[in-house]
Amino acid sequence: MASDNASPATSGHVRPEIDVCALTALLDGEYAEVRDLVRANLTTHASVLDDADELGVDAFRERVREIVVDMAATGQTGMGFPRAHGGGGDVGASIAAFETLAFGDLSVLVKVGVQFGLFGGAILHLGTERHHDAYLPDLVTGRLMGCFAMTETGHGSNVQALGTVARYDAASQEFVITTQGDQARKDYIGNAARHAELAVVFAQLDVGGTSQGVHAFVVPVRAGGEPAPGVRIEDDGRKMGLNGVDNGRLWFDGVRVPREALLNRFADVTSEGVYTSPIENPNRRFFTMLGTLVQGRVSVGGAGVNVAKVALTIATKYAVRRRQFEATADAEEQLLLDYGLHQRRLLPLIARTYALHFAQDVVRTQLHDVFSGAEDDPHARRRLESRAAGTKALGTWHATRVVQECREACGGAGYLAVNRFAALKSDSDVFTTFEGDNHVLLQLVAKGLLTDHASEFEDLDQLGMVRYVTGLALETIIEKTSAHKLLERVRDLLPGGDAWDREAGLLDSEYQLAMVRYREEHMLAGVARRLKRGIDQKRDPGAVFSQVQDHVIALAHAHVERLVLEAFVDRVRAQPEGGNKVALGLLCDLFALSTIEADRAWFMEHGRLTVQRSKAISREVNDLCRRIRPLAVDLVDAWGIPPEMLRAPDLVG
Amino acid sequence: MASDNASPATSGHVRPEIDVCALTALLDGEYAEVRDLVRANLTTHASVLDDADELGVDAFRERVREIVVDMAATGQTGMGFPRAHGGGGDVGASIAAFETLAFGDLSVLVKVGVQFGLFGGAILHLGTERHHDAYLPDLVTGRLMGCFAMTETGHGSNVQALGTVARYDAASQEFVITTQGDQARKDYIGNAARHAELAVVFAQLDVGGTSQGVHAFVVPVRAGGEPAPGVRIEDDGRKMGLNGVDNGRLWFDGVRVPREALLNRFADVTSEGVYTSPIENPNRRFFTMLGTLVQGRVSVGGAGVNVAKVALTIATKYAVRRRQFEATADAEEQLLLDYGLHQRRLLPLIARTYALHFAQDVVRTQLHDVFSGAEDDPHARRRLESRAAGTKALGTWHATRVVQECREACGGAGYLAVNRFAALKSDSDVFTTFEGDNHVLLQLVAKGLLTDHASEFEDLDQLGMVRYVTGLALETIIEKTSAHKLLERVRDLLPGGDAWDREAGLLDSEYQLAMVRYREEHMLAGVARRLKRGIDQKRDPGAVFSQVQDHVIALAHAHVERLVLEAFVDRVRAQPEGGNKVALGLLCDLFALSTIEADRAWFMEHGRLTVQRSKAISREVNDLCRRIRPLAVDLVDAWGIPPEMLRAPDLVG
């Protein structure tokens, strides 16, 4: 940010004074109250961090369940449900609560997500009044536990192809649910191995011999602790982490449920066996149903960002206590964070964490607006779904990367379980996979960018670019997004003409934004051109896609990073003058320039960065690290992580 | 490699036929026999992989101890000890055995490393006949367990600064060992919490009030299962992984050991209290002692490479079974490994694993030659120590990166403990830290590169560049390594003049080598220039070092990658013509070009890569991935990992 003290040299800069409480208030935003409730609940149940190490799997699962039920009693976990059914009636607050919960034990977090987000969310969004009345009151308190049985062994990310079948038997007015072959077993289902009484089961609906695609049904899977008749349950066993969540497998052998068990908001079957739906196009219907589940992705992305905060807080506090090697024979050993390399390792990650936090604010607000009806139209939904997919991918990869870097930055001490990294690492690892594999999600983002130029194709399958590149639809899209047009748009992005970006100040946020916007538009044009060439040459669509796939992922990544930078810049600009604004400006510059630096090869390859300027950016990143170094502790303190969650007595002491 | 079929286009290439058995024989090399012994032992004890999940910490520690003792009885773990004391008398074989052991449970591996490498190695290399006779026979069988008490809480990597004191009491002819303050407690000591009876304790030797620096002593720490008098032992508790190893903390409160307890190969104290040493310079003495422990680094680096092999084998086998998304409406879903992105994720990692394997062969051979006396002079030792530090850092970071990528590439299934990634990830995580933090090791490598130009400074402390940049010594070095001279050498590296590297074939290994050699020399000149500038400006040495540290690390990284590529190219050239040579040539090209690609920004910034050529390298990497794709299963099978070690029944099935 070009802020008050943006002169290029380090020396002479005035160190901004950070008002930590005010910064926490800014970060907590409108949900400060529910976040503080969660902080209090986390502190009350802080002993769960020890339990996770010390209890066996069975006992720990029970402990986690108890905590989830206790937390539910405080209202924390039900914020997203209607007040009429015991909830808080505030979708945004429910996401904020979930994000904050990620400061603590992550089995508790994921159990909350399974029970109230996935299971509860499916009942709420796919069901109608009869389901709401029957299940929501007990579900919101945690008295009634359920699971969300979508994923199958044979089909992880390709939900539309799943193999479980629900056949309508008009004679008995029942659905008969059957697992067709072992690849169709439901797998990795949270709450299934132990606690769920009900399951929301996704199955291919068969009415009178016609398949109507994937629909969801409420199916009792357990009664009095025993599997229901026709239901087989297997425990997934020990996992890398999250062992307080009872993941399991489910098989259904002709399990009968009444006609009313169909979650019928978007489709129904009459007692006579006639299939009806207000949404005519089956693809659109499927993605409308799936779209209601977007809050899971928004939740997990935000949780990833907060996991990163915990790791960075511990590593930063350690780095300002720990000394290593003397500078001179008589001197004290240097503090870790005074080493340039250590600054390089931690501070850009702190900057990126702030950036992702503000980007999360945007997607949470969009979610709230769509689901509260404030702004709910197809365009807003599409925008939300794309953004949720993208921030989930970047937020969870960020968590994995940050936890690893912070563990290594704490040396052998970081390896002891008592110092939290063990749990953070093993528990958060799967975030990159669940609620949608990150690579698949980025493909979805890229597809959205292409279809934005050809809106009539919005109904195409949204999972899997492969089918997307098949056949006619693609050709039309390519015409609409001709490389020519896109390159015109790219040029429009450079306000001062072609030479502008060689002269602008590196700390000018308009320059930084122009760079990441240019990258995105250029990549979009490149992907479109490559796809079109493949089609023109009548090559095998699978082979075409395979060859363009890395460009597709890079495009989506560039798109999301642009959104993240825009969110950060907007927030900094909106701040009142003062130390906090200066500090956030430095962080925003560090995020922008370290992002450009990380991809500087691309910018050089595409004529947007000279060799001299590329080197200047690296120097500026180092300089920003030195300027942010004295602010590091305030910046992590502002995240407001309860000290009990940091554990790590020897590291943060 | 410019091999038989190195034409640039993919199509028309003949797929080489791999002889898997012959490739395994090549990889196993001269140590095939001991490697097969380890494979057999691993298979015998395969149930330990389940035990690691199922047993509690106490029971698992006992189980691991039993296995270690059982393996010792087969001769596997004693290869490095003299035949006269029950060993195998072959240092190289002992490293090869250790590497192979990394296919299995890593607690077993690390317990073997602690007992026979660290504890046994210290007795062997720092002790003399009296210690060998007293301890080696029982140590080699595992009847006598010991630990290696070097690391202290307050001083992880800076061993020379440790705080434990051993004062010589001439009256009683004893050393009195005392932990001075809590920062001097010995920490993370393997075997200390439960099984060690003896400890090799590193302490500051005080004779008659004069400190003689760090020396090692044999100290009984436990008898009949109870701590010895004056010794306090604390359990480090649960760790992220390696919970079959009993790490602990040790405090000594005036513990008395006889004069003969000093491991006196390099220094002794007479009964009258006179300190003697054949090595006059205290710094040189300290690093001579430490240097004998280099085999630990060689071992861990090789283990890291083999951990990567296990993860890649599972992920590759999964990727040729698992289908995901249809290419066209009627088609079967595509195999994961037919996706370009999936190839990009796995195949360069397979290539780098091969490269690191061959580099490990070189450092193992150097170790063997030095320790068997075949080539033991100060130059050979320095070369070995630098190379061991560098390959350890790259090999263990590679393991961390590969395990993470492979887990994600196996989706949710990769998260289940039964599929091995959980253990691989949590157990191998600390490899980047123990036996020397990787960043500290790379600084040691860089320092070696600078001192090679000023050999009289070989006695400088070898840990910590900080003190290195302090004072006079540096100035002299800088003069000897003037940027001018180095740049002359750089020019000599380009055989065809300045334009040569713009015209050479990308698959010409001379081109690839010239690129990585140029990078290293240029970085060396750059670091020297920056250090000199700091000295000339009389700036604070700590600040100078802090600013140059990222360049120092980059230099060391470039140096080690050059060594790795040279090792790979040499091995490919030495192969007889045939399918295996062609396949290895493809892998070598993929390693070389993906290494250059990863740092292409640097090459562009330094005028050694045009934009066009940079893009051509990325295309060539993609093309090589497509050509290697059909060979992937053979390439991982050739590593010869016992199927029982892969576990993962649902993934490799």
Side-chain angles (χ1 to χ4, degrees):
Chain A
M1 302 296 295
S3 65
D4 317 14
N5 55 359
S7 107
T10 308
S11 51
H13 284 302
V14 178
R15 170 183 162 179
E17 284 296 320
I18 293 183
D19 178 339
V20 174
C21 289
L23 189 51
T24 302
L26 167 69
L27 292 164
D28 282 359
E30 58 189 308
Y31 300 115
E33 193 179 342
V34 71
R35 291 191 198 271
D36 281 339
L37 170 64
V38 177
R39 289 187 177 104
N41 285 341
L42 284 172
T43 305
T44 301
H45 298 288
S47 61
V48 70
L49 299 176
D50 298 305
D51 297 337
D53 288 343
E54 289 158 18
L55 296 180
V57 167
D58 289 341
F60 186 50
R61 285 173 172 180
E62 295 310 316
R63 175 88 178 103
V64 168
R65 179 195 177 133
E66 282 168 23
I67 292 173
V68 168
V69 172
D70 283 356
M71 286 182 170
T74 70
Q76 168 198 315
T77 61
M79 299 301 300
F81 296 99
R83 288 178 181 276
H85 294 105
D90 186 334
V91 177
S94 82
I95 306 295
F98 189 84
E99 292 164 0
T100 310
L101 197 55
F103 290 156
D105 176 79
L106 299 179
S107 285
V108 172
L109 175 91
V110 171
K111 187 119 181 156
V112 164
V114 165
Q115 166 71 10
F116 305 102
L118 292 173
F119 171 61
I123 299 284
L124 177 64
H125 296 301
L126 301 178
T128 53
E129 201 175 346
R130 67 179 186 232
H131 307 107
H132 297 173
D133 291 343
Y135 306 123
L136 287 186
D138 281 352
L139 181 168
V140 169
T141 62
R143 267 194 304 273
L144 173 69
M145 287 263 171
C147 63
F148 180 84
M150 175 186 274
T151 301
E152 297 182 354
T153 299
H155 297 277
S157 296
N158 193 355
V159 175
Q160 220 166 357
L162 58 77
T164 302
V165 172
R167 183 178 56 78
Y168 184 63
D169 177 5
S172 64
Q173 300 203 13
E174 289 172 327
F175 294 102
V176 186
I177 299 183
T178 304
T179 302
Q180 304 271 24
D182 212 49
Q183 289 295 298
R185 72 181 184 192
K186 299 294 182 183
D187 207 350
Y188 321 118
I189 309 300
N191 264 358
R194 180 66 72 105
H195 293 140
E197 294 178 62
L198 293 183
V200 171
V201 177
F202 289 80
Q204 304 285 356
L205 171 60
D206 176 326
V207 184
T210 303
S211 176
Q212 300 290 352
V214 174
H215 291 68
F217 305 83
V218 181
V219 183
V221 290
R222 192 179 268 111
E226 292 302 311
V231 177
R232 180 152 73 91
I233 303 179
E234 193 175 280
D235 199 314
D236 270 325
R238 187 173 268 279
K239 306 183 296 292
M240 183 182 293
L242 301 178
N243 282 302
V245 183
D246 51 317
N247 292 78
R249 305 185 176 108
L250 297 169
W251 290 259
F252 302 94
D253 181 12
V255 173
R256 287 179 170 268
V257 292
R259 190 175 66 88
E260 292 74 18
L262 174 65
L263 291 174
N264 61 335
R265 178 166 164 203
F266 297 110
D268 210 344
V269 176
T270 66
S271 52
E272 299 79 21
V274 178
Y275 179 81
T276 65
S277 170
I279 307 174
E280 207 161 322
N281 181 309
N283 249 321
R284 188 197 284 255
R285 190 187 309 131
F286 173 73
F287 286 107
T288 301
M289 291 187 201
L290 273 200
T292 61
L293 309 172
V294 67
Q295 69 179 55
R297 288 179 185 160
V298 176
S299 302
V300 170
V305 178
N306 277 4
V307 165
K309 290 178 190 171
V310 176
L312 280 166
T313 301
I314 297 172
T316 301
K317 287 174 181 281
Y318 181 67
V320 296
R321 292 183 71 222
R322 174 77 172 184
R323 296 180 181 276
Q324 191 168 283
F325 294 112
E326 310 83 335
T328 56
D330 303 326
E332 215 179 357
E333 292 181 303
Q334 282 208 132
L335 287 173
L336 274 183
L337 202 56
D338 288 328
Y339 283 92
L341 182 69
H342 216 81
Q343 293 170 10
R344 265 272 181 182
R345 291 169 75 182
L346 297 186
L347 301 182
L349 296 178
I350 291 178
R352 193 175 176 90
T353 304
Y354 268 84
L356 289 167
H357 176 104
F358 292 125
Q360 175 70 12
D361 282 348
V362 174
V363 73
R364 187 195 325 100
T365 301
Q366 288 183 359
L367 177 83
H368 183 84
D369 289 349
V370 163
F371 279 78
S372 67
E375 189 195 3
D376 186 7
D377 58 56
H379 172 72
R381 290 216 170 225
R382 262 205 320 282
R383 190 183 60 170
L384 166 63
E385 285 167 24
S386 169
R387 190 155 191 138
T391 54
K392 186 272 185 185
L394 264 62
T396 55
W397 270 327
H398 181 64
T400 298
R401 176 179 163 207
V402 164
V403 172
Q404 184 65 35
E405 193 65 55
C406 290
R407 199 299 289 162
E408 293 186 34
C410 290
Y415 198 62
L416 303 184
V418 71
N419 291 334
R420 283 231 63 190
F421 293 108
L424 287 174
K425 181 169 165 166
S426 53
D427 290 344
S428 71
D429 176 88
V430 79
F431 285 20
T432 55
T433 297
F434 66 21
E435 295 288 328
D437 171 87
N438 283 359
H439 286 107
V440 174
L441 291 180
L442 287 187
Q443 286 170 211
L444 191 154
V445 170
K447 180 175 168 281
L449 296 174
L450 288 162
T451 49
D452 274 353
H453 298 271
S455 60
E456 63 266 40
F457 297 103
E458 68 195 44
D459 292 328
L460 285 176
D461 68 292
Q462 292 189 35
L463 288 170
M465 283 285 298
V466 178
R467 270 171 291 166
Y468 178 79
V469 300
T470 310
L472 189 70
L474 180 75
E475 241 168 308
T476 323
I477 289 162
I478 298 300
E479 279 165 23
K480 299 212 174 199
T481 63
S482 71
H484 176 69
K485 264 197 204 158
L486 280 169
L487 282 174
E488 269 176 23
R489 282 179 50 190
V490 167
R491 266 195 290 277
D492 292 345
L493 285 171
L494 302 172
D498 255 12
W500 176 83
D501 58 347
R502 262 164 272 170
E503 289 148 22
L506 297 179
L507 301 183
D508 179 346
S509 49
E510 286 305 325
Y511 165 73
Q512 299 160 359
L513 287 167
M515 289 290 275
V516 297
R517 285 172 181 154
Y518 177 88
R519 178 176 61 157
E520 175 184 352
E521 293 290 340
H522 196 288
M523 285 181 169
L524 177 55
V527 169
R529 198 177 58 242
R530 284 182 172 84
L531 289 176
K532 177 157 168 55
R533 193 193 305 147
I535 300 294
D536 288 350
Q537 296 172 347
K538 301 199 189 309
R539 296 177 53 205
D540 170 60
V544 172
F545 176 72
S546 173
Q547 291 204 15
V548 82
Q549 195 180 14
D550 54 342
H551 297 276
V552 166
I553 297 291
L555 161 63
H557 207 274
H559 168 73
V560 185
E561 277 189 338
R562 190 259 298 170
L563 294 179
V564 173
L565 180 58
E566 285 179 349
F568 203 166
V569 170
D570 285 350
R571 287 301 285 275
V572 178
R573 286 181 178 160
Q575 294 312 303
E577 296 303 319
N580 285 6
K581 181 173 187 167
V582 174
L584 288 173
L586 290 172
L587 279 176
C588 188
D589 283 333
L590 179 56
F591 168 66
L593 293 185
S594 57
T595 297
I596 294 169
E597 185 194 36
D599 212 10
R600 68 194 195 282
W602 188 92
F603 286 105
M604 283 189 279
E605 285 172 352
H606 296 84
R608 287 270 74 85
L609 207 53
T610 63
V611 161
Q612 291 69 26
R613 212 166 161 80
S614 177
K615 292 179 178 174
I617 286 177
S618 291
R619 283 194 301 273
E620 191 65 56
V621 168
N622 284 336
D623 192 47
L624 285 165
C625 284
R626 283 190 289 276
R627 291 171 67 188
I628 291 170
R629 153 72 185 90
L631 315 177
V633 172
D634 283 351
L635 290 171
V636 301
D637 280 345
W639 289 328
I641 302 169
E644 294 81 357
M645 296 301 104
L646 299 180
R647 230 172 161 210
D650 290 341
L651 300 190
V652 303
Chain B
M1 301 297 294
S3 65
D4 316 13
N5 56 0
S7 107
T10 308
S11 50
H13 284 303
V14 179
R15 170 183 161 179
E17 283 297 320
I18 292 183
D19 178 340
V20 174
C21 289
L23 190 50
T24 302
L26 168 68
L27 292 163
D28 282 358
E30 58 190 309
Y31 301 114
E33 194 179 341
V34 71
R35 291 190 198 273
D36 281 339
L37 170 63
V38 177
R39 287 185 178 106
N41 285 342
L42 284 172
T43 306
T44 301
H45 298 288
S47 61
V48 70
L49 299 175
D50 299 304
D51 297 337
D53 288 344
E54 289 158 19
L55 296 179
V57 167
D58 289 340
F60 187 49
R61 285 174 171 180
E62 295 309 317
R63 175 89 178 103
V64 169
R65 178 194 178 135
E66 283 168 22
I67 292 173
V68 169
V69 172
D70 283 356
M71 285 182 170
T74 70
Q76 167 198 314
T77 60
M79 298 303 300
F81 295 99
R83 288 178 182 276
H85 293 106
D90 187 334
V91 177
S94 81
I95 306 294
F98 189 83
E99 291 164 2
T100 311
L101 197 56
F103 290 156
D105 176 80
L106 299 179
S107 285
V108 173
L109 175 92
V110 171
K111 187 113 179 162
V112 164
V114 165
Q115 166 71 12
F116 305 102
L118 292 173
F119 171 60
I123 298 285
L124 178 64
H125 295 301
L126 301 178
T128 53
E129 202 175 344
R130 68 179 186 232
H131 307 106
H132 297 173
D133 292 343
Y135 306 122
L136 286 186
D138 280 353
L139 180 168
V140 169
T141 62
R143 268 194 304 274
L144 173 68
M145 287 262 171
C147 63
F148 180 83
M150 176 186 273
T151 302
E152 297 182 353
T153 300
H155 297 278
S157 296
N158 192 356
V159 175
Q160 221 166 356
L162 58 77
T164 303
V165 172
R167 183 178 57 77
Y168 184 65
D169 176 4
S172 63
Q173 300 202 13
E174 290 173 325
F175 294 103
V176 187
I177 299 183
T178 304
T179 302
Q180 303 272 25
D182 213 49
Q183 289 295 299
R185 71 181 185 193
K186 299 294 180 183
D187 207 349
Y188 321 119
I189 309 300
N191 264 358
R194 180 66 72 105
H195 293 141
E197 294 178 61
L198 293 183
V200 171
V201 177
F202 288 80
Q204 305 285 357
L205 170 60
D206 176 326
V207 184
T210 303
S211 176
Q212 299 290 353
V214 173
H215 291 69
F217 304 82
V218 181
V219 182
V221 291
R222 191 180 268 111
E226 292 302 312
V231 177
R232 180 152 72 92
I233 303 179
E234 192 175 279
D235 200 315
D236 269 325
R238 187 173 269 280
K239 306 183 296 290
M240 183 182 296
L242 301 178
N243 282 302
V245 182
D246 51 316
N247 292 77
R249 304 186 177 107
L250 297 169
W251 290 258
F252 302 95
D253 181 12
V255 174
R256 289 180 169 266
V257 292
R259 190 175 64 89
E260 292 75 18
L262 174 65
L263 291 174
N264 61 336
R265 178 166 164 203
F266 297 109
D268 211 344
V269 176
T270 66
S271 54
E272 298 79 23
V274 178
Y275 179 80
T276 65
S277 170
I279 307 173
E280 207 162 321
N281 182 309
N283 250 320
R284 187 198 286 254
R285 191 186 308 130
F286 173 73
F287 286 109
T288 301
M289 291 186 200
L290 274 199
T292 62
L293 309 172
V294 67
Q295 69 178 53
R297 288 180 185 161
V298 176
S299 302
V300 171
V305 178
N306 277 4
V307 165
K309 290 178 190 170
V310 176
L312 280 166
T313 301
I314 296 171
T316 301
K317 287 173 181 281
Y318 180 67
V320 297
R321 292 183 70 223
R322 174 76 173 185
R323 296 180 181 277
Q324 191 168 283
F325 295 113
E326 310 82 337
T328 57
D330 304 325
E332 215 180 357
E333 291 181 304
Q334 283 207 132
L335 287 173
L336 274 183
L337 201 56
D338 289 327
Y339 283 92
L341 182 70
H342 217 81
Q343 293 170 9
R344 265 274 183 181
R345 291 170 74 182
L346 297 185
L347 301 182
L349 296 178
I350 291 179
R352 192 175 176 89
T353 304
Y354 268 84
L356 290 167
H357 176 104
F358 292 125
Q360 175 70 13
D361 283 348
V362 174
V363 72
R364 187 195 324 101
T365 302
Q366 288 183 359
L367 178 81
H368 183 83
D369 290 349
V370 163
F371 279 77
S372 68
E375 190 195 2
D376 185 8
D377 57 56
H379 172 71
R381 290 215 170 225
R382 261 204 320 280
R383 190 182 61 170
L384 166 63
E385 285 166 24
S386 169
R387 189 154 192 142
T391 55
K392 186 272 184 182
L394 264 62
T396 54
W397 270 326
H398 182 64
T400 298
R401 176 179 163 207
V402 165
V403 172
Q404 184 64 35
E405 192 65 55
C406 290
R407 198 299 288 162
E408 292 185 36
C410 290
Y415 197 63
L416 302 184
V418 71
N419 291 333
R420 283 230 61 190
F421 292 109
L424 287 174
K425 182 170 164 165
S426 54
D427 290 344
S428 71
D429 176 88
V430 79
F431 285 21
T432 54
T433 297
F434 66 22
E435 296 288 328
D437 172 86
N438 282 359
H439 286 107
V440 174
L441 292 180
L442 287 186
Q443 287 170 211
L444 191 154
V445 170
K447 177 172 169 285
L449 296 173
L450 288 162
T451 49
D452 274 353
H453 299 270
S455 59
E456 63 267 38
F457 297 104
E458 68 195 42
D459 293 328
L460 284 176
D461 68 293
Q462 292 188 35
L463 287 170
M465 283 286 296
V466 178
R467 269 171 293 166
Y468 179 78
V469 300
T470 311
L472 190 69
L474 181 75
E475 242 170 305
T476 323
I477 290 163
I478 299 299
E479 279 165 22
K480 299 213 173 199
T481 62
S482 71
H484 176 69
K485 263 196 207 159
L486 281 169
L487 282 175
E488 268 175 25
R489 282 178 50 189
V490 167
R491 266 196 290 278
D492 292 345
L493 285 172
L494 303 172
D498 256 12
W500 177 82
D501 60 345
R502 261 163 272 170
E503 291 149 22
L506 296 179
L507 301 183
D508 179 346
S509 49
E510 286 305 326
Y511 165 72
Q512 299 160 359
L513 287 166
M515 288 290 276
V516 297
R517 286 171 180 154
Y518 177 88
R519 178 177 60 158
E520 176 184 350
E521 292 291 340
H522 197 289
M523 285 182 168
L524 177 55
V527 169
R529 198 177 57 242
R530 284 182 172 84
L531 289 177
K532 177 156 169 54
R533 193 192 305 146
I535 300 294
D536 288 350
Q537 296 172 345
K538 301 200 188 310
R539 295 177 54 205
D540 171 59
V544 172
F545 176 73
S546 172
Q547 291 205 15
V548 82
Q549 195 181 15
D550 54 341
H551 296 277
V552 167
I553 296 290
L555 160 63
H557 207 275
H559 168 73
V560 185
E561 277 190 338
R562 190 258 297 170
L563 295 179
V564 173
L565 180 58
E566 285 179 348
F568 202 166
V569 169
D570 286 349
R571 287 301 285 274
V572 178
R573 286 182 178 159
Q575 293 312 302
E577 297 303 318
N580 285 7
K581 181 172 187 166
V582 174
L584 288 174
L586 291 171
L587 279 177
C588 188
D589 284 332
L590 180 55
F591 168 66
L593 293 185
S594 56
T595 298
I596 294 169
E597 186 194 36
D599 212 10
R600 68 194 195 282
W602 188 91
F603 286 105
M604 283 188 280
E605 285 172 351
H606 295 84
R608 288 269 73 85
L609 208 53
T610 63
V611 161
Q612 291 71 26
R613 211 166 162 80
S614 177
K615 291 179 177 174
I617 286 177
S618 290
R619 282 194 301 273
E620 191 64 57
V621 168
N622 283 337
D623 193 47
L624 286 164
C625 283
R626 282 191 289 277
R627 291 171 66 187
I628 291 171
R629 153 73 184 91
L631 315 176
V633 172
D634 283 350
L635 289 171
V636 301
D637 279 345
W639 289 329
I641 302 169
E644 294 82 358
M645 295 302 102
L646 300 180
R647 230 173 161 208
D650 290 340
L651 300 189
V652 303

